[in-house]
Amino acid sequence: MGQLLEQRQMLMARIDEAISQGSQLSMKSRQFLQEAHSLDQTIRSLIMEQKETVQQKLSELQQHKSAFDKYNYTYGATAYGAFFDVKK
């Protein structure tokens, strides 16, 4: 997926360069390319928003897992004996 996004970005950069240099394109072709570029920018911003949301949820999940592990000790009863061991 990342490679496809990079290829798309390289293509869009070439299109942007061609538009800025005033390549010989018909007015209709130029309009389509400008619309494609605009849509690409919108898609990129949406992808970045989704990426940030996923990273935030992953971080929250890791925090919840850490808290769960603290309160639900699953490695046996040996740790409990260390705290409740009473000498007689």
Side-chain angles (χ1 to χ4, degrees):
M1 174 97 171
Q3 187 179 21
L4 291 174
L5 291 175
E6 288 176 21
Q7 288 176 348
R8 184 192 70 184
Q9 184 57 35
M10 287 178 15
L11 178 61
M12 292 308 293
R14 288 175 47 199
I15 290 171
D16 193 33
E17 183 180 331
I19 290 172
S20 67
Q21 291 179 354
S23 290
Q24 297 297 324
L25 298 173
S26 70
M27 195 58 123
K28 191 171 188 173
S29 296
R30 181 177 290 248
Q31 181 182 4
F32 286 143
L33 287 175
Q34 287 175 339
E35 288 177 22
H37 188 267
S38 176
L39 288 172
D40 181 66
Q41 295 302 321
T42 303
I43 290 169
R44 291 186 79 222
S45 67
L46 291 173
I47 288 172
M48 293 307 289
E49 287 175 16
Q50 288 295 324
K51 180 181 174 184
E52 290 173 5
T53 301
V54 168
Q55 286 177 337
Q56 181 181 9
K57 287 182 180 181
L58 187 60
S59 175
E60 289 173 5
L61 182 63
Q62 187 63 33
Q63 289 175 352
H64 290 305
K65 182 179 182 269
S66 177
F68 181 78
D69 287 345
K70 286 180 184 177
Y71 291 108
N72 292 316
Y73 188 77
T74 59
Y75 300 110
T78 55
Y80 293 112
F83 295 108
F84 300 111
D85 202 12
V86 178
K87 290 187 179 183
K88 293 184 180 182

